[in-house]
Amino acid sequence: CRGVVAVLPPSPRTALAFVAAVSVAASYLTWAFSLVFAAILAREVARRVPRADYRALGAMAFLGLGTVWAQGLSGSAALQVASASSSPKAVQDEIVKHGYANGLIPLSDTIFTWRALLATLLIYVVAVAMAWMMAPQGERARSAADLGIELKPLIGPGSTREEGREQEGPPRPGDWLEHSPVLTIVIVAIGALYLVRHFTTQDALASLDLNTINLILILLALLLNWRPWRMARAVREGAPAVSGVLLQFPAYAGLFGVTAHTAASRRTPPSTPSRDQGRGVTARR
């Protein structure tokens, strides 16, 4: 957020429109990411532009959730009807009646149609314009200081986030591996290779579903954290009640899929001509 806010002009109107624009854009990618990232951004903007209305900045952080999230990549309806594992059989049977033989509706026929993209763009422009127009000015504005809120840096000098954290290096080989980017590079490379093969062997938009989006987000999170221990710490601090589920269950599902498909491929006997087919060939000869 610091690098993005550094180029922000010090104007309350611009600050409000900026947070609104980022919030809506992030919500198009995924609504959960928008809630967290836009809230952190609004706080950092309030630190850099102290004259901006803190109440309005907080409201703009939620703007994406109220506008385009359902039309983006986290739209639950579009993802559900595009994923065989997420769409109930009754729904798939109904989809077949409307001309889709496989019972699924690809994203190219829902959120990626030109009508949906045009509607999303119009909503984006209107939302940002309204944010700029409704920015409180002069005496009507209430900064964080006016509301009695002290805005400390979230990270770095002056923040409380780094207090009490271990600064020592990893003492054991296993700890060293967790603190090294080697595992990150290997996992992201394998995942990226799978995604390239997945999207190049079929229509890219039609093959984009809930599972591939989740995989892309997990790989991006791991890549941005760069080291496995940072990824684990971020998940633990962001969602302490379900951190183990968020990290372990996708790994369990991947291991189960590899095991199941590998065993199935080993059990499948090679296709050989039957005895009757051999006799027919001999007779014809």
Side-chain angles (χ1 to χ4, degrees), residues 22 25 29 39 41 69 71 77-78 84 120 130 134 164 167 169 188 190 202-203 220 230 242 263 285:
V22 174
L29 298 177
L41 179 65
W69 77 270
Q71 297 167 266
T120 303
M130 291 299 296
M134 67 181 294
Q167 301 296 332
V188 172
I190 294 175
Q202 50 189 318
D203 181 69
L220 284 177
R230 290 181 179 174
V242 293
R285 287 179 179 176

Side-chain angles (χ1 to χ4, degrees), residues 136-199:
Q137 298 291 312
E139 297 180 354
R140 296 174 56 240
R142 293 291 184 271
S143 64
D146 296 334
L147 299 175
I149 300 174
E150 183 181 3
L151 298 177
K152 293 183 178 180
L154 293 177
I155 59 175
S159 67
T160 59
R161 187 170 183 264
E162 300 295 332
E163 294 181 0
R165 287 191 173 167
E166 298 180 359
Q167 301 296 332
E168 299 179 359
R172 295 170 295 184
D175 296 328
W176 177 87
L177 197 59
E178 289 183 353
H179 285 70
S180 170
V182 174
L183 278 179
T184 300
I185 296 173
V186 172
I187 295 174
V188 172
I190 294 175
L193 178 61
Y194 166 80
L195 290 173
V196 169
R197 295 184 59 184
H198 179 75
F199 288 125

Side-chain angles (χ1 to χ4, degrees), residues 10-73:
S11 166
R13 283 188 182 274
T14 307
L16 206 65
F18 177 75
V19 173
V22 174
S23 174
V24 176
S27 183
Y28 186 81
L29 298 177
T30 168
W31 65 267
F33 169 71
S34 174
L35 284 179
V36 177
F37 180 74
I40 296 175
L41 179 65
R43 182 184 176 92
E44 188 67 20
V45 168
R47 290 184 60 247
R48 298 298 182 94
V49 189
R51 293 180 299 159
D53 191 287
Y54 192 66
R55 304 164 301 174
L57 288 174
M60 292 305 102
F62 289 90
L63 187 61
L65 189 61
T67 52
V68 303
W69 77 270
Q71 297 167 266
L73 297 179

